[in-house]
Each structure stands twice: as structure tokens, then as C-alpha cells.
Amino acid sequence: MVVKNGIATGLFLAVIIGSVVAGTASKELVGTWNYEAPYAPYEYSKGQLIFTENGDKIEGKIKIGEYAIDMRNVKVEGEDVSFGAYVEGEYVSIKFKIEKTKFTGTASYSEGSIEVTGEKE
């Protein structure tokens, strides 16, 4: 019985600690990040990723000039962030890793992948 309670307590603590760590990472993500994708078509090579918190959910927009594109399926797992967006009718999948106030990653679409880097404002 003691072993079962110990295991249950351990699992409970692991879930709580995981939630706190994920919540902290999400809060660090919230805000505006300037990005660069030098190998993307010129009009998409610079812009902003704007992450907001809506309850316990992270949402976002990609701002390119005067246009804003909604992010879809935003996921934060530790330092890893992923989401997708429709750009001119094509789905682009973006994945990156946060390192303090900077990130590096890739944007993948039907013709391949390109490097994306950024820094938080």
C-alpha cells in the first residue's frame, strides 16, 4: 500500500512540475518576436511572430508588413515551439527552439525547408 501511494504521489508531483515548467515556458513565449528567414521570398523574409495567452492556451499571429496571418495548432513543449499557418493558400509548418531571448528553427512547406531565426523585442 505504501509503495502504491508513493508511486501515485510521485506521478502527481511529476504532472504538477511538468505543468509549472510548461506554463513558465509559455509565459516566456508571450510577446513579440522579430524573425528573419533570409532564404524565403523577399516579402516573407522579415516579420514578427506575436504570441498571446488566452486562458491556458497560447495563440498567435504572423505579422508581415501590414498583413497578419493566424497561427494554427500552437504547441509549446519546454523550449520547443511549433505551429502552422496558411500562406497564400499553402500550409507552412514552423518549428523552433527558444534559447533565452532568441530562437532558431525551420519553416517547412511543399518545396522544402528554410532556416528561421528571431529575437524577442
Side-chain angles (χ1 to χ4, degrees), residues 1-66:
M1 187 72 159
V2 172
V3 172
K4 286 184 181 179
N5 286 338
I7 292 172
T9 301
L11 289 173
F12 177 74
L13 288 174
V15 169
I16 295 298
I17 290 169
S19 297
V20 169
V21 169
T24 301
S26 296
K27 290 191 186 316
E28 291 174 6
L29 178 65
V30 171
T32 301
W33 297 72
N34 295 313
Y35 81 84
E36 291 186 8
Y39 300 107
Y42 178 75
E43 61 272 17
Y44 301 110
S45 64
K46 291 183 181 181
Q48 295 178 316
L49 305 177
I50 303 167
F51 294 95
T52 56
E53 193 171 23
N54 185 1
D56 62 347
K57 186 176 175 185
I58 298 292
E59 298 177 341
K61 293 190 180 291
I62 304 170
K63 188 167 185 214
I64 305 167
E66 298 298 315

Side-chain angles (χ1 to χ4, degrees), residues 100-112:
K100 297 186 182 182
T101 59
K102 296 183 178 188
F103 73 81
T104 56
T106 58
S108 302
Y109 63 113
S110 65
E111 294 185 29

